[in-house]
Amino acid sequence: MAIQNLFVVGAGLMGSGIAQNAITSGYTVTLNDQRQEALDRAKAGIEQALDRDVSKGRMAAEDRDAALARLSLNPSMEGAKNADLVIEAIYENLEAKQAVFTALEEICPENTIFASNTSSISLTALAAATKRPSRVVGMHFFSPVPRMRLCEVIFGLLTAQDVLDDIKEVGHRMGKELILADDKPGFIVNRALLPMLNEACVIVGSFIGTVEDVDNGMKLGCNHPMGPLELADMIGLDILLNVMTVMDKEIGAKYHPSMLLRKMVVAGFLGRKSGAGFYIYENGKKAGVNPVLTQAHSLEE
């Protein structure tokens, strides 16, 4: 099946990144979100990113203009009526993702592939909300999508091989290296990575080491390009918590989310996107450790 028209659901960081990557790879993309302000913000961000590529000589101005001409915004699901491939990129919640696929079931042609950018949720469970379980697949992109080379492809119990073949072609055209994972909680990358980030939260919450010492230990001792707590901030502490909660439920207590992580999310410290997580961010730049993690409390006068 020749895929050309993509319908991306969700205009947040991941959805807008997928849309940008797709239009610069020659695909025609309709970006969907219920919130018009999210669509406008996403389009402005894509335009800014492509302008930056032009200014740095990474893209010709005419290629930028052609890419932007392939992008359209639509707050209605009806925009998917001609989609060859839907990529759902909303927040990590089974019922919400199922609702997207159920709504699209009556709009999209029978051969449309439904892909989810989920990082932990069962593709078999998502497929159960549709009448086309063989055409449901996972495409787990990594942030920032236009720069990160990996795409994790996940097959559900009923995913057809021809769907995987089509997704392989899309992934390669978007410049991605693909890895294939079975439909098990966390898949490959998050099954290995997120417990490490969670354990870093445990270490700080247990006063074994400071935020900076944990990050510097992993960067300087293990040659990681970014410390686990800085990476958690970039991913989003709410996303980390959601995925750990799924793995805790599906696999067991080994994956139980850190108490400190849960407190941080309840307090609204979600990482870079909220301006504060384990670190404080000013204009998108790390400005220091979040003071709530270093302050001392006392009842003494």
Side-chain angles (χ1 to χ4, degrees):
M1 171 182 166
I3 292 176
Q4 178 56 37
N5 298 317
L6 274 57
F7 187 76
V8 179
V9 183
L13 180 65
M14 294 303 296
S16 62
I18 293 168
Q20 178 184 328
N21 198 160
I23 61 173
T24 57
S25 302
Y27 288 106
T28 302
V29 176
T30 300
L31 183 59
N32 164 267
D33 199 291
Q34 293 179 340
R35 303 159 298 157
Q36 185 62 47
E37 63 272 18
L39 290 172
D40 294 339
R41 184 168 57 248
K43 184 178 180 181
I46 292 171
E47 289 174 344
Q48 184 179 38
L50 297 189
D51 286 345
R52 185 165 55 248
D53 285 344
V54 170
S55 68
K56 293 183 177 295
R58 295 193 291 253
M59 173 182 277
E62 54 268 27
D63 291 336
R64 172 201 58 198
D65 296 342
L68 290 173
R70 289 190 287 270
L71 175 67
S72 61
L73 310 178
N74 195 328
S76 170
M77 289 290 188
E78 292 295 328
K81 62 184 179 181
N82 295 317
D84 302 314
L85 169 64
V86 167
I87 302 178
E88 168 274 312
I90 67 169
Y91 58 98
E92 199 73 350
N93 177 275
L94 173 61
E95 290 75 19
K97 291 176 183 291
Q98 286 178 324
V100 168
F101 283 174
T102 299
L104 289 171
E105 184 66 59
E106 306 304 322
I107 296 171
C108 295
E110 290 183 1
N111 64 341
T112 301
I113 295 172
F114 286 2
S116 175
N117 182 54
T118 180
S119 56
S120 65
I121 292 173
S122 167
L123 271 301
T124 303
L126 289 176
T130 78
K131 300 173 184 175
R132 61 185 81 200
S134 67
R135 304 196 68 72
V136 176
V137 67
M139 292 186 77
H140 179 206
F141 292 88
F142 293 79
S143 183
V145 177
R147 294 208 303 269
M148 296 294 283
R149 294 180 59 201
L150 183 65
C151 179
E152 190 175 29
V153 177
I154 306 100
F155 59 93
L157 186 63
L158 298 173
T159 304
Q161 181 59 49
D162 67 295
V163 169
L164 294 177
D165 294 340
D166 288 338
I167 293 303
K168 177 180 178 181
E169 182 179 339
V170 171
H172 286 168
R173 185 170 163 186
M174 291 177 68
K176 305 303 183 189
E177 294 288 337
L178 306 179
I179 58 175
L180 183 64
D182 195 357
D183 187 19
K184 304 293 194 307
F187 315 132
I188 294 173
V189 175
N190 281 341
R191 184 74 172 259
L193 174 65
L194 297 198
M196 182 188 75
L197 306 190
N198 187 60
E199 194 64 23
C201 299
V202 171
I203 290 170
V204 172
S206 301
F207 305 102
I208 298 171
T210 67
V211 170
E212 290 176 309
D213 283 347
V214 169
D215 276 352
N216 285 334
M218 297 305 292
K219 287 190 289 186
L220 302 177
C222 299
N223 205 29
H224 290 193
M226 181 182 291
L229 299 170
E230 187 179 4
L231 178 56
D233 274 359
M234 188 179 81
I235 293 171
L237 301 190
D238 53 336
I239 295 174
L240 173 57
L241 175 59
N242 286 343
V243 177
M244 292 304 299
T245 300
V246 169
M247 291 199 291
D248 179 33
K249 178 182 177 181
E250 296 292 333
I251 308 172
K254 172 183 176 182
Y255 299 92
H256 192 63
S258 153
M259 180 180 293
L260 177 59
L261 174 63
R262 286 179 276 143
K263 285 182 177 180
M264 295 285 280
V265 173
V266 168
F269 297 125
L270 307 183
R272 285 182 179 269
K273 61 187 173 186
S274 68
F278 285 95
Y279 295 91
I280 297 294
Y281 299 89
E282 296 176 359
N283 299 319
K285 302 289 185 179
K286 189 170 70 174
V289 174
N290 190 331
V292 303
L293 299 171
T294 60
Q295 65 185 346
H297 294 88
S298 175
L299 292 175
E300 297 179 1
E301 296 183 358

